[in-house]
Amino acid sequence: MSENIKILEEITSSEYKYGFETKIEADSAPKGLNEDIVKFISAKKNEPQWLLEWRLKAYRHWLTLTEPHWQNVNYPAINYQDIIYYSAPKPKVKLNSLDEIDPELKATFDKLGISLDEQKRLSGVAVDAVMDSVSVATTYKGKLAEQGIIFCSLSEAVQEHPELIKKYLGSVVPMTDNYFAALNSAVFSDGSFVYIPKGVRCPMELSTYFRINAANTGQFERTLIVAEDSSYVSYLEGCTAPMRDENQLHAAVVELIAMDNAEIKYSTVQNWYPGDKDGKGGIYNFVTKRGICSGVNSKISWTQVETGSSITWKYPSVILKGDNSIGEFYSVAVTNNMQQADTGTKMIHIGKNTKSRIVSKGISAGKSQNSYRGLVEVMKRAENARNFSQCDSLLMGDKCGAHTFPYIEVKNNTATVEHEATTSKIGEDQIFYCNQRGIGTEAAVALIVNGYCKEVLNQLPMEFAVEAQKLLAISLEGSVG
Amino acid sequence: MLKIKDLKASVDGKEILKGINLEVKAGEVHAIMGPNGSGKSTLASVLAGRADYEVTGGSVEFLGKNLLDLAPEERAGEGVFLAFQYPVEIPGVSNTNFLKTAVNEIRQYRKQEPLDSVTFLNIMKEKMKLVEIDQALLKRSLNEGFSGGEKKRNEIFQMAMLEPKLSILDETDSGLDIDALRIVANGVNKLKSKETASIVVTHYQRLLDYIVPDFVHVLYNGRIVKSGTKELAFELEEKGYDWIKNEVKAGSAV
Ligand SMILES: Nc1ncnc2c1ncn2[C@@H]1O[C@H](COP(=O)(O)OP(=O)(O)O)[C@@H](O)[C@H]1O
Ligand SMILES: [Mg+2]
């Protein structure tokens, strides 16, 4: 083993920088899951009867399912009765404005680089901050409302815009979709709701910041974005969690709906606690994300930078129903130490002249396992559908694994489906070359990896691209081996 | 500036440098010639600090410091530059971004303020003229898809940007047509000063028509077997390396 490799191995053992815990009083449900818990959550949120029934239906369906194990990951059995399904930071007083947020909470988000002060925010970014099971603040709501844009927590939307929620909730990811989607439908806590009216181009980036704080608590948020005809929105989510020795479950559902000529750009920077070097602790990130290009010429683009979680299991997908619609998936998934990721996408071509593009960059270091799993399906009536997939894997050292599982199902012979895949190792020659130009090994790895992921990083909104680059460097610190 | 004493190095347990002695003073240009496989690139790599090569004996002093104690990036910071025989490609990293990172890392090592973008771009423009490099190459990914000649020219451009004290050019002439050769040599000559020195590795005399060396050394089988002035290069051109090999065999040139 050369010197460089050794250095690289040392670098990967860096500390998770968001692992602190906020001491704040919480209002929690007792551990475990049963119909009473579902009712408890619904009552806490003062939900209408139909929604409670919807939750109960999901819960009863969930009871009939078994946890899926086809993904290329290994973990001990989850005890669903050992999880707290609802935990909310206790508000000291009822909030009338952002200025009244519990200073402790505000400080938490400040520490994470998420200022809830509108004046101090990056201009052009509105934020919804979610701690454990509830949204604690949403900025720029008023300004957005002037254009008819709704950006609020899902709980609030249930109260304020019940007709929209009733119409769209579960319309892209039905409660029966899969084990974790059913679970989420039963116990979902909070999340964001976005509604962009016809012809409106959302003037700022919308973002939600998720924070798991309480111990033994699962996070089950739901996000719902509806873009009416000829509208546009760019949305970004970020997430972190304290360092804890036990694993915590995060099972979210995201639904996107794009009408005629509408475009939704959804970006994720996922940085849940990944567990320690030996694989102790960390978040199980089991997420169902799906969008439907329901109208003609619509477009949905998923961009994800996945660096955290001990296990990641997610396939942001696009149903290309409208003719000429476009689906995109740009992904960087980094696994280090003992992390496992099984991630990819599904592109379902239904409409004519639909196009999809998949660019996946997997980076594995340490003893981690990184799998790309993707499905491109072209249905019978999808004349002239086109797909291009590029799946690249980069290995650091010889103790990690990279796997690619591309599935292609074509039922219309006018379709063009292209798949390219490469596997490479980070070159010692490249590192030495950088060293010789004065660039130390750590910086060299960051430079090379960022270059490798450039196509994906370029898709991120400007404000976040730099953050994502730093995050990549941090997650690989001490890891090239 | 550089004092190499009885330097021995091996790779995978095989001894390649078998006791090199060489002294380079500021302001001098040394040419190192020799047949393929004699250890020229190995010497260059050992000086630059490549980890695959194990130094098994001897010493290297550079500007009063023990060069062998320093990490490769520290050597670069001290002013050692190697123009690679085979420059490496780094996809997705633009030539400009790479250079800016390099320049600022080296400045940081030297406890200088980092250059802001405007200053950096101005310096870049100036140096571009020196080696007649095309602007388009600077926007592209580092060396990716560059022709052999473009890569070599890019090495000299980097050298111009980093302003090293000691430049080691490893077969920078190979793969260059005569025009490119002239441009590269011109660049090197313009960068020459009383405070800097160069070691030019080549196995053809033709580069030395443009970069005139103060000394010429012949490296053969891990040792410098003959040293002289530029006339030695002409002699080699005329007689070939067999002459040297025979002398070594006869034991007259060690
Ligand atoms: N990494 C390496 N592994 C094994 N042998 C090497 C390596 N690098 C160089 N060598 C050997 O060392 C000798 C000298 O090589 P090199 O320094 O490249 O010569 P030159 O540059 O003079 O042509 C050759 O026999 C070559 O095969
Ligand atoms: Mg050589």
Side-chain angles (χ1 to χ4, degrees):
Chain A
M1 190 170 46
S2 86
E3 202 59 33
N4 279 340
I5 296 282
K6 263 186 259 164
I7 292 168
L8 289 172
E9 271 192 350
E10 281 161 23
I11 314 172
T12 3
S13 40
S14 83
E15 296 271 299
Y16 183 70
K17 297 188 172 55
Y18 308 94
F20 62 89
E21 177 187 354
T22 306
K23 295 274 180 259
I24 197 157
E25 236 190 302
D27 183 6
S28 306
K31 261 187 193 175
L33 185 53
N34 52 50
E35 295 208 356
D36 286 341
I37 293 289
V38 175
K39 287 176 190 159
F40 172 91
I41 294 169
S42 188
K44 272 281 168 203
K45 297 185 171 285
N46 193 26
E47 286 175 353
Q49 186 65 22
W50 70 264
L51 191 50
L52 171 61
E53 274 157 24
W54 194 81
R55 285 178 181 275
L56 287 170
K57 211 170 140 192
Y59 173 69
R60 288 170 198 146
H61 182 74
W62 178 73
L63 288 176
T64 68
L65 304 175
T66 47
E67 203 183 295
H69 285 287
W70 45 264
Q71 48 301 19
N72 190 28
V73 298
N74 281 303
Y75 57 94
I78 299 172
N79 181 356
Y80 290 91
Q81 296 306 334
D82 202 31
I83 294 173
I84 295 171
Y85 288 85
Y86 182 86
S87 174
K90 243 183 211 163
K92 300 231 163 94
V93 286
K94 187 165 166 24
L95 295 184
N96 291 313
S97 83
L98 289 176
D99 304 331
E100 293 173 21
I101 296 172
D102 187 335
E104 190 68 31
L105 265 179
K106 220 168 169 175
T108 301
F109 283 94
D110 275 342
K111 214 163 154 184
L112 296 167
I114 311 292
S115 172
L116 299 177
D117 264 328
E118 289 187 357
Q119 293 77 12
K120 287 190 205 146
R121 281 293 308 166
L122 290 163
S123 57
V125 184
V127 182
D128 184 22
V130 176
M131 168 95 95
D132 295 330
S133 307
V134 295
S135 165
V136 293
T138 310
T139 63
Y140 291 112
K141 247 156 108 175
K143 194 168 170 215
L144 292 165
E146 285 166 22
Q147 296 193 51
I149 295 168
I150 304 169
F151 177 43
C152 64
S153 70
L154 194 65
S155 316
E156 193 179 329
V158 168
Q159 305 299 325
E160 308 287 325
H161 312 280
E163 66 304 333
L164 289 172
I165 301 302
K166 203 167 176 179
K167 186 168 172 192
Y168 293 113
L169 191 75
S171 69
V172 191
V173 180
M175 64 168 73
T176 53
D177 191 80
N178 66 70
Y179 189 81
F180 295 107
L183 178 63
N184 174 287
S185 301
V187 301
F188 74 88
S189 38
D190 220 334
S192 299
F193 175 65
V194 175
Y195 178 84
I196 315 288
K198 203 166 164 172
V200 172
R201 204 183 153 81
C202 185
M204 51 177 84
E205 302 283 343
L206 303 185
S207 86
T208 302
Y209 195 88
F210 295 101
R211 172 80 180 164
I212 297 178
N213 188 58
N216 305 312
T217 304
Q219 176 134 334
F220 306 93
E221 84 273 1
R222 269 189 103 95
T223 297
L224 176 58
I225 300 179
V226 180
E228 293 282 10
D229 292 356
S230 306
S231 66
Y232 168 85
V233 63
S234 169
Y235 177 92
L236 182 127
E237 60 174 1
C239 42
T240 55
M243 293 194 266
R244 297 188 190 285
D245 285 349
E246 77 275 14
N247 296 104
Q248 277 179 284
L249 178 61
H250 169 249
V253 169
V254 176
E255 299 178 281
L256 312 182
I257 299 149
M259 309 296 191
D260 289 354
N261 304 300
E263 180 176 348
I264 301 174
K265 198 173 153 56
Y266 192 105
S267 313
T268 303
V269 176
Q270 188 264 105
N271 187 25
W272 295 118
Y273 177 52
D276 71 6
K277 259 183 87 173
D278 305 315
K280 193 158 194 205
I283 303 292
Y284 291 163
N285 188 35
F286 301 158
V287 170
T288 307
K289 289 182 166 175
R290 191 176 302 150
I292 182 162
C293 283
S294 118
V296 296
N297 306 318
S298 54
K299 181 174 175 184
I300 288 178
S301 184
W302 297 103
T303 303
Q304 59 175 29
V305 175
E306 303 279 321
T307 59
S309 298
S310 67
I311 301 178
T312 293
W313 182 90
K314 68 179 237 193
Y315 314 91
S317 308
V318 185
I319 300 169
L320 296 150
K321 181 164 162 265
D323 290 348
N324 313 316
S325 60
I326 298 172
E328 291 177 338
F329 174 73
Y330 295 94
S331 169
V332 171
V334 179
T335 52
N336 193 4
N337 299 319
M338 303 295 286
Q339 282 178 280
Q340 308 175 64
D342 191 307
T343 182
T345 184
K346 287 187 220 170
M347 292 291 174
I348 316 290
H349 293 255
I350 299 173
K352 296 189 179 73
N353 305 313
T354 46
K355 275 192 259 179
S356 62
R357 183 178 171 79
I358 297 170
V359 178
S360 162
K361 306 272 178 180
I363 300 162
S364 335
K367 295 178 184 157
S368 69
Q369 294 296 327
N370 201 326
S371 304
Y372 167 82
R373 187 183 305 275
L375 168 68
V376 176
E377 188 173 2
V378 178
M379 309 290 240
K380 231 185 186 142
R381 64 165 275 270
E383 293 287 317
N384 298 315
R386 281 166 58 187
N387 161 266
F388 174 76
S389 304
Q390 171 82 47
C391 301
D392 298 326
S393 308
L394 185 68
L395 296 168
M396 301 192 178
D398 47 16
K399 294 181 204 111
C400 53
H403 318 271
T404 308
F405 306 99
Y407 304 94
I408 298 171
E409 287 170 27
V410 177
K411 295 179 191 119
N412 182 312
N413 59 16
T414 60
T416 318
V417 176
E418 284 174 80
H419 178 91
E420 287 175 13
T422 65
T423 300
S424 48
K425 279 203 164 196
I426 195 154
E428 280 201 52
D429 285 356
Q430 290 174 323
I431 292 173
F432 178 64
Y433 190 85
C434 293
N435 289 162
Q436 211 302 303
R437 298 302 186 250
I439 304 169
T441 298
E442 215 167 288
V445 171
L447 194 72
I448 295 165
V449 166
N450 277 311
Y452 177 78
C453 302
K454 194 175 169 196
E455 219 184 326
V456 174
L457 297 177
N458 279 348
Q459 298 296 324
L460 286 175
M462 270 280 278
E463 292 89 336
F464 301 102
V466 179
E467 282 307 304
Q469 286 192 12
K470 282 189 206 146
L471 189 56
L472 281 184
I474 291 167
S475 10
L476 287 168
E477 262 173 32
S479 73
V480 186
Chain B
M1 176 182 268
L2 180 74
K3 284 182 197 143
I4 305 177
K5 280 196 192 132
D6 200 28
L7 181 65
K8 293 178 182 163
S10 54
V11 61
D12 292 336
K14 179 182 157 200
E15 186 166 70
I16 294 167
L17 300 184
K18 298 171 183 169
I20 302 270
N21 290 290
L22 179 66
E23 182 163 356
V24 178
K25 296 201 175 79
E28 292 177 351
V29 175
H30 289 243
I32 295 185
M33 304 182 71
N36 269 330
S38 54
K40 303 185 295 294
S41 292
T42 302
L43 175 61
S45 297
V46 168
L47 293 178
R50 197 178 178 111
D52 316 356
Y53 298 90
E54 193 193 345
V55 174
T56 51
S59 65
V60 181
E61 193 187 304
F62 178 66
L63 295 170
K65 288 191 180 158
N66 179 357
L67 193 68
L68 301 176
D69 268 356
L70 302 178
E73 62 272 22
E74 294 170 330
R75 299 183 195 195
E78 294 292 334
V80 175
F81 180 91
L82 170 61
F84 285 69
Q85 183 172 4
Y86 305 106
V88 172
E89 301 185 359
I90 305 185
V93 177
S94 80
N95 215 345
T96 306
N97 184 20
F98 176 77
L99 259 178
K100 193 168 178 217
T101 308
V103 166
N104 283 334
E105 291 282 322
I106 286 179
R107 289 183 69 86
Q108 190 182 349
Y109 181 86
R110 294 177 186 165
K111 304 199 165 46
Q112 297 164 327
E113 289 292 304
L115 293 182
D116 60 71
S117 297
V118 177
T119 317
F120 175 78
L121 287 175
N122 285 338
I123 296 177
M124 207 164 77
K125 265 187 205 144
E126 190 187 305
K127 306 283 180 174
M128 271 164 63
K129 282 186 218 138
L130 213 64
V131 290
E132 299 176 41
I133 195 162
D134 189 355
Q135 174 117 41
L137 282 187
L138 300 180
K139 291 191 184 135
R140 281 169 50 186
S141 290
L142 180 66
N143 290 325
E144 196 185 28
F146 286 23
S147 72
E150 285 169 339
K151 283 182 183 167
K152 295 299 176 71
R153 208 181 286 195
N154 197 32
E155 292 292 288
I156 302 305
F157 175 62
Q158 291 186 22
M159 175 177 131
M161 287 299 295
L162 297 175
E163 299 182 331
K165 299 199 178 89
L166 174 69
S167 312
I168 306 163
L169 276 56
D170 192 1
E171 307 233 9
T172 302
D173 52 335
S174 62
L176 292 186
D177 62 33
I178 199 77
D179 290 333
L181 185 68
R182 197 177 296 132
I183 291 163
V184 164
N186 257 333
V188 173
N189 288 333
K190 281 185 203 152
L191 294 169
K192 211 180 135 176
S193 79
K194 283 200 173 66
E195 288 80 45
T196 64
S198 318
I199 297 175
V200 178
V201 173
T202 178
H203 62 245
Y204 301 110
Q205 192 268 329
R206 107 186 152 145
L207 178 66
L208 305 179
D209 287 343
Y210 299 99
I211 303 175
V212 182
D214 300 299
F215 300 95
V216 174
H217 312 276
V218 180
L219 187 62
Y220 176 62
N221 198 16
R223 288 191 179 91
I224 290 180
V225 293
K226 209 170 182 66
S227 295
T229 55
K230 65 175 194 281
E231 279 68 35
L232 177 57
F234 292 121
E235 208 173 342
L236 285 169
E237 182 81 352
E238 213 171 284
K239 299 188 187 167
Y241 288 114
D242 286 347
W243 154 63
I244 300 278
K245 290 181 192 172
N246 291 335
E247 269 194 30
V248 173
K249 263 187 208 146
S252 60
V254 179

